[in-house]
């Protein structure tokens, strides 16, 4: 068993890749306004994997929409590399749970991966290289000429991830990315996430309902609770690395962290 504890990646960096400063968000106006997020402040360092967890309906997806520039904030600020986010940032890519809706059924795997790169006007060899590299990173070299409907759910989600990777985002944002795949595929995709973070030094922000997944994947966990939502706890996941599905999940400290996150979520729910 690993004895050495690794620090979070935040230890090694000074400038946050993402910064959330007093972010609040309401839907609607005047008397009809629904105040979903009260006042969130946290940073995500370069190369960090941060999970956002909390009770259903607390505002996790709303927060991701604000951070990806898809929804305007009501007050506060979200910054990427110190720059205000006021629309979808070029440096970000998004992976949603609903891969069936994000892939084009009439395009092959290769052409689906190419799609978001077309506007970058890259020289053809560079374009091919990026596509090949991304498809190899998700282990789909054998399926490049297949159509999404010829692939399993897990493979389709790999295509969605490859498409995000080929774009080379600095920040990969994922909303329940593995919720619709079977348990074994889920483990593989979680490990893929850890590998691509290491390979591309990517910063990854992920919303998940799965507490074990949050603990396994993350350097830190942002626990949201209450209504309107606040950060009820920012947890450092001080599990030894490199992580491994069997070894890491069988550590007593893994079980302790899972229990801690679960009870924080329960508290956040009851205090809504
Ligand atoms: P979570 O992702 O944590 O389940 P959401 O961010 O989806 O939570 O939703 C938080 C709250 O905001 C819910 O009460 C939801 O009904 C409300 N909400 C989400 N989107 C909208 C919208 N476009 N207009 C009005 N209310 C919304």
């Amino acid at each position: 068993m690993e004895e050495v504890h690794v620090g979070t990646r935040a230890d090694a960096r000074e400038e946050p890749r993402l910064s959330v400063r007093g972010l609040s968000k309401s839907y609607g106006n005047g008397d009809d306004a629904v105040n979903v997020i009260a006042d969130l402040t946290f940073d995500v360092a370069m190369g960090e994997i941060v999970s956002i967890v909390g009770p259903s309906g607390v505002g996790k997806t709303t927060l991701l929409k604000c951070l990806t520039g898809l929804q305007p904030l009501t007050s506060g600020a979200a910054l990427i590399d110190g720059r205000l986010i006021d629309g979808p940032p070029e440096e970000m890519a998004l992976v949603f749970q609903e891969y069936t809706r994000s892939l084009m059924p009439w395009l092959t795997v290769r052409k689906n991966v190419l799609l978001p790169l077309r506007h970058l006007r890259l020289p053809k060899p560079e374009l091919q290289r990026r596509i090949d590299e991304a498809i190899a990173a998700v282990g789909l070299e054998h399926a490049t000429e297949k159509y999404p409907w010829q692939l399993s759910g897990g493979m389709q989600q790999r295509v969605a991830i490859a498409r995000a990777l080929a774009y080379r985002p600095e920040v990969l944002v994922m909303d329940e990315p593995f919720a619709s795949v079977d348990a074994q595929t889920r483990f593989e995709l979680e490990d893929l996430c850890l590998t691509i973070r290491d390979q591309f030094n990517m910063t990854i922000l992920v919303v998940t309902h799965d507490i074990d997944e949050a603990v396994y994947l993350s350097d830190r966990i942002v626990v949201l609770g209450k209504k309107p939502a606040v950060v009820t706890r920012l947890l450092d996941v001080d599990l030894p690395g490199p992580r491994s599905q069997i070894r890491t999940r069988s550590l007593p400290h893994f079980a302790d962290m899972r229990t801690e996150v679960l009870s924080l979520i329960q508290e956040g729910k009851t205090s809504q």
Side-chain angles (χ1 to χ4, degrees), residues 225-238:
K226 303 193 179 165
K227 234 181 180 100
V230 295
V231 177
T232 52
R233 193 73 68 82
L234 256 174
L235 286 169
D236 280 335
V237 183
D238 50 354

Side-chain angles (χ1 to χ4, degrees), residues 26-28 34 36-37 54-65 71 175 207 209 224 227:
S26 305
Y27 288 111
V34 183
V36 176
I37 294 175
S56 192
V58 76
K60 301 181 292 296
T61 300
T62 298
L63 171 62
L64 285 198
K65 285 183 181 162
Q71 278 283 352
D175 192 359
V207 160
H209 277 112
L224 299 184
K227 234 181 180 100

